[in-house]
Amino acid sequence: MPGGAHGVDRMSEKLREHPLIVYLAFVLPALLFACAMILKANVLIFLVILAWIGISFMVLFLPVSNDSGSSQ
């Protein structure tokens, strides 16, 4: 059955194979967060970086349902 068991597939199975995606999703924001802490950046910058990390986790690790409305 394409798409995994019961139509559920993980984006991370496809995206985790690319090291650039992992770098942009986790390593770069972690470095930016560390630099923001060192430079005593504005709270808004911290919120943007944390939102970036949170969205990356959601995109890469939450399952995606492939419900197209068809009765297969």
Side-chain angles (χ1 to χ4, degrees), residues 27-42:
V27 176
L28 183 61
L31 291 174
L32 289 174
F33 192 76
C35 289
M37 286 176 48
I38 291 170
L39 298 173
K40 298 179 182 169
N42 191 353

Side-chain angles (χ1 to χ4, degrees), residues 33-50:
F33 192 76
C35 289
M37 286 176 48
I38 291 170
L39 298 173
K40 298 179 182 169
N42 191 353
V43 174
L44 181 63
I45 301 298
F46 287 107
L47 292 176
V48 169
I49 295 170
L50 290 175

Side-chain angles (χ1 to χ4, degrees), residues 46-63:
F46 287 107
L47 292 176
V48 169
I49 295 170
L50 290 175
W52 182 353
I53 294 171
I55 292 169
S56 298
F57 272 113
M58 288 191 315
V59 168
L60 291 176
F61 293 111
L62 284 181

Side-chain angles (χ1 to χ4, degrees), residues 5 11 29-30 32 35 40 49 51 58 64-66 69-70 72:
M11 293 289 289
L32 289 174
C35 289
K40 298 179 182 169
I49 295 170
M58 288 191 315
V64 177
S65 177
N66 293 331
S70 63
Q72 291 183 350

